Each structure stands twice: as C-alpha cells, then as structure tokens.
Amino acid sequence: MTLENRRILLVDDMPTIHDDFRKILCPQAPAKSALQATRAALFGDEPPKATTGAAVFELDSAYQGQEGLAKVEASLRNGRPYAMAFVDMRMPPGWDGVETIEHLWHADPRLQVVICTAYSDTSWDEVFRRLDARDRLLILKKPFDNIEVRQLAQALTAKWQMTQQAALQIDSLEAAVDERTQRLTQANLALQAEIAERKNLEAQLVQQEKLASIGQLAAGVAHEINNPIGYVFSNVGTLEGYLADLFRMLDAYEQTPAAAQLRALREELQIDYLKDDVPSLMRESKEGIGRVRQIVQDLKDFSHVDALQEWQMVQLHQGIDSTLNILGSELRDKADVVKEYGQVAEIECLSSQLNQVVMNLVVNAAHAMGDRGDKRGRIVIRTGCADGEAWFEVTDNGSGIPSKVLPRIFDPFFTTKPIGKGTGLGLSLSYGIVQKHQGRITVDSEVGRGTTFRVTLPLRRRATPAEMVPA
Ligand SMILES: Nc1ncnc2c1ncn2[C@@H]1O[C@H](COP(=O)(O)OP(=O)(O)OP(=O)(O)O)[C@@H](O)[C@H]1O
Ligand SMILES: [Mg+2]
C-alpha cells in the first residue's frame, strides 16, 4: 500500500497568490520545441523533464478559512486527505489564519501547515500556545522565495508520508504484539488446565492403585477366612443340636435310681446355670460369625470376586426409592429426606450393587447428623442427566468431613465411628462399585455445614477390552 500524498491546500484571499503557487508547485511541462519533437521521432529520445527536481503537486485552492475547512472535510470523506496546507494570516472578512488552522486541525490533526504572513506584529509564542502546534506548524514570511515554497512542500509532504507510515507500522506492531499476547495467554490457560487435569488423573491413579492392591489383599483374606468361617458356622449349628441332645439325656438320667448322686454332681457343676447360658453363648457365637461372614462378603464385593450379577437396564429412581424404603426407620429418626429428582433415562448397571452405593451414602449422611438436639437433619437426594451420563447426589447438613480425614474416607476399614457402628467399608465398597460401572464418585464437604457425595455414571456400559475380543 502506497502512502504517497502530494495533495496541498492553499487558503488565501488573494487570487494572485494562487497563481504564484500554481506556477511554483505545478509547473506545466514546457511545450516541446519542433527540434525536440523531431529528435524524439527519429531517435526515440525522452524529452527533458520539466524544471529540475520539481516534483509535481496537486494543488487545491480556497479563498476563505470556511471554504478551506469544507475542502479538508470533503477530502477526508473521499479518503484523499491533504498532506499539507499553506494558510494566509489575514483573510478578511472571514476567519484569520490562526482560527482557520484551528478548524483544519480539528478536522484532520495530521495536516502539516505553513502559515504565511507579511506582518511581524504577530506574537508567535501566543499563536503556538493557542494552536497546540507541536511540530505541525511552520512560518513563512512574505515576500517568499519560490524555492522556499517548493522545499517546504517537498519536505512536509514527505514528512506526512513518513509519519503515516510509522503510525501504520506501530499499529501493525501493536496488533502483532496483541495477537502474540493473546496466543500466549491461551497457551498458558491450556497449560494450566492440563496441569490440573494431570494432577487430578494422578490422584485418581494413586487412589485406584491403592484400592487395587488393597482389593487383592482383601480378596485373599476373604478367601482364606471364608472356608474356616463356613465350617465354624456349620459346626456351631451342629454343636447346638448336640448340646440339646445332651441336656435331654441329662434330664432323663435324673429320673433314674442314681438320681441323688447325679443331683449332687449337677449342683457341683452348676448344670442349671450352664443350661441357661449355653443357648445365649451359642446365639452370640452365631451372631459373631454372621458378622464376620458379612465382612467377608463385603470384602469380596469390594474386590469384585463375585461377578455373578447381571447387567440390566434400570430406572435409577426406582433403585433409590427402594433403598430408602429399606432404610425406613433408621432414617426417619434422624433426618428429613428430600427428593429432587431430575429427568434420568434408564441406566445399564448392576442394580443391587448400585443400591448398595445409595444405601452407604444415605446411611453415612444419617450418621453425620450426630446429636443435634431437637433440630432435625436434612438429607437431599438429587438426580440428573447430562452428556450421556446420569448422576445422583446425596447432600447432608451434618458434621462435614475435616480436611485431615477427607483423603482417607475411601480407604477400606477407615472409620471415625465407634466400634460396632462402622467397619469403614461403606465408601471403599461404593468406590469399587462405581469404578466397575465406569463412573466417578466425588465428595465436597465443609465442617459444620455438611457434605455432598456425587456419583456420575455412563448411561451405557462401554465394552472393556477383554469383552471386545471376538468369541
Ligand atoms: N456424609 C458424611 N458426613 C461426614 N463424614 C462422613 C460422611 N460419609 C463418610 N464420612 C466419613 O468417612 C468415614 C468412612 O465412611 P465409610 O462409609 O467408608 O465407613 P463407615 O461409615 O465408618 O462404616 P461402614 O460404612 O462400613 O458402616 C466415616 O467413618 C466418616 O468419618
Ligand atoms: Mg458408611
């Protein structure tokens, strides 16, 4: 793009001045002499240039300040601004030179101006101050030399051009810097997002590895315990039967002639007490064994050793409702349960396992209410669907989880509850189940305010690599 601009405006009330300027700035090429024309025809010579060094300018005339302003405005509208203006100092009856220049600069601040005057009574300091002239105003004293006018025109149009060029370069430089800055900012944001994502993945990986190794251990322990527990359980049952038989036998002996001797022995051995105590010992043993069996079962679930269950399409809300029903009284004493169900499509899942997750979360929420005096707790269950995933949340306004405890809550056997109330398996089991469903479980908690657990599950199970192997 060329910024060449040789357009000049002359504002002067004297027509003769316009003639002079035109001669100086726009000299006509001299008519070719007959001799020159012949030479050109014969030898193809270029005719000599007009006055040496005189570049040709495009000169416009205005005879009053107002007219000058109109011309400048029109030139701007047409996208052909003037590079400079010569302005006469005194131009009755209209604006004088200074006022004219003020208006011209108001319209186009880039305009280079030469003020022409024959009078030396002007206070130039005053003029420069009033006009904010900076470096755009020169003074030309009349009477002037032709060469002065031509040099001024030459220098100031060149200056206009260079100033424009510099401004353009600065603009494009600024744009380039802006663009670069923007790209850097974007790159920075992307980097930060990636770092956050990586940290998140790392944390998940650590958690997964931890649980996987604990899972293996759990599976081993469960397997080892399962057998002995099985025969202890069945033996206790058999033993109970045997003992009943023995007691019956004793009763029968007491009816025989040796009864007196037997009665003495009976007193000595406190058989009456024993008869009372044996059944309760048996009951407690069975209960204890039952508990151990349940823990073993939980451990097996946690480590996925029993993969017997079927994947089915299930309504999430149905599962939640039935789980809440089972919990019934345990919940009702502790808290109000509020359901805020959204629209959720059927999800493909192992429904009884998913119910177990719901149960663990809701029971934990109820436990978190602790002792609140007469203030009842509130548990909100929300559901929803987004981007091919279903989610549900269990929110309580209970104790909240201290940040020291938070990293450990998914660890197996981690519990803050008294012995007998919690085994610390609920969340680790839930974590395992959600993993198996290719979902995520997250927690958000604040001490004194409450806790929200959120489980997100894909609506459809994605085939795992093992399942994709063709039969
Ligand atoms: N909603 C909750 N509010 C406050 N603390 C919670 C909440 N849910 C879990 N926790 C904390 O996480 C710990 C582990 O929970 P988890 O369900 O795994 O075990 P538990 O409830 O202690 O025992 P279990 O579930 O096996 O009966 C809890 O002991 C408790 O400290
Ligand atoms: Mg629990």
Side-chain angles (χ1 to χ4, degrees), residues 343-345 383-391 440 454 456-459:
Q343 292 272 333
V344 182
T383 65
C385 220
D387 304 328
E389 293 181 317
W391 56 265
R440 311 181 287 285
R454 185 184 176 103
T456 310
L457 302 162
L459 291 175

Side-chain angles (χ1 to χ4, degrees), residues 141-403:
K141 292 252 174 82
K142 291 178 187 173
F144 44 73
D145 227 317
N146 290 3
I147 191 68
E148 283 176 318
V149 171
R150 202 180 304 134
Q151 282 186 337
L152 280 171
Q154 195 75 268
L156 291 184
T157 51
K159 181 185 169 202
W160 185 93
Q161 188 177 320
M162 286 189 297
T163 312
Q164 290 322 105
Q165 211 137 27
L168 240 134
Q169 273 163 359
I170 286 172
D171 277 359
S172 73
L173 213 64
E174 269 172 3
V177 169
D178 276 357
E179 199 197 311
R180 187 69 63 86
T181 311
Q182 214 167 8
R183 279 217 302 268
L184 276 175
T185 315
Q186 268 164 7
N188 199 7
L189 283 177
L191 204 68
Q192 258 159 16
E194 201 180 309
I195 289 172
E197 168 81 17
R198 265 179 201 213
K199 273 192 185 155
N200 198 349
L201 281 176
E202 233 169 79
Q204 271 181 29
L205 216 66
V206 168
Q207 181 73 2
Q208 266 171 31
E209 275 171 7
K210 203 162 71 177
L211 290 183
S213 61
I214 293 170
Q216 266 174 3
L217 185 75
V221 170
H223 184 78
E224 292 301 318
I225 294 178
N226 216 20
N227 265 340
I229 284 295
Y231 59 72
V232 169
F233 190 75
S234 88
N235 289 359
V236 168
T238 316
L239 212 57
E240 212 176 7
Y242 288 172
L243 279 170
D245 289 350
L246 284 177
F247 283 129
R248 263 178 61 203
M249 192 72 188
L250 260 181
D251 287 345
Y253 276 132
E254 277 175 24
Q255 314 303 321
T256 63
Q261 207 183 337
L262 275 172
R263 258 198 296 277
L265 193 59
R266 179 188 176 125
E267 305 270 289
E268 194 189 320
L269 295 177
Q270 294 183 308
I271 293 296
D272 278 339
Y273 171 76
L274 203 145
K275 244 171 125 179
D276 276 351
D277 203 30
V278 163
S280 73
L281 287 181
M282 285 320 233
R283 199 179 51 246
E284 274 175 28
S285 302
K286 273 162 81 182
E287 248 177 51
I289 293 166
R291 284 240 296 271
V292 173
R293 279 178 117 192
Q294 184 58 49
I295 291 176
V296 169
Q297 186 56 46
D298 284 351
L299 282 173
K300 280 167 133 186
D301 286 347
F302 168 70
S303 51
H304 317 315
V305 285
D306 288 344
L308 288 174
Q309 294 210 10
E310 292 261 309
W311 287 84
Q312 320 165 279
M313 296 303 293
V314 168
Q315 282 287 346
L316 178 62
H317 295 160
Q318 240 169 39
I320 297 176
D321 288 343
S322 63
T323 307
L324 290 177
N325 286 341
I326 295 169
L327 287 173
S329 63
E330 185 171 352
L331 268 183
R332 250 171 276 134
D333 302 343
K334 293 269 191 177
D336 297 320
V337 178
V338 182
K339 297 181 205 169
E340 291 179 7
Y341 289 171
Q343 292 272 333
V344 182
E346 286 193 331
I347 55 177
E348 191 179 5
C349 66
L350 301 166
S351 62
S352 67
Q353 297 209 356
L354 216 53
N355 293 348
Q356 210 178 327
V357 175
V358 175
M359 164 128 33
N360 288 332
L361 296 183
V362 174
V363 168
N364 281 350
H367 283 170
M369 298 308 171
D371 189 16
R372 302 165 61 93
D374 51 355
K375 249 181 81 188
R376 284 174 63 74
R378 186 178 149 94
I379 298 172
V380 186
I381 299 175
R382 291 190 192 85
T383 65
C385 220
D387 304 328
E389 293 181 317
W391 56 265
F392 66 90
E393 275 179 2
V394 179
T395 298
D396 64 65
N397 59 351
S399 60
I401 305 173
S403 55

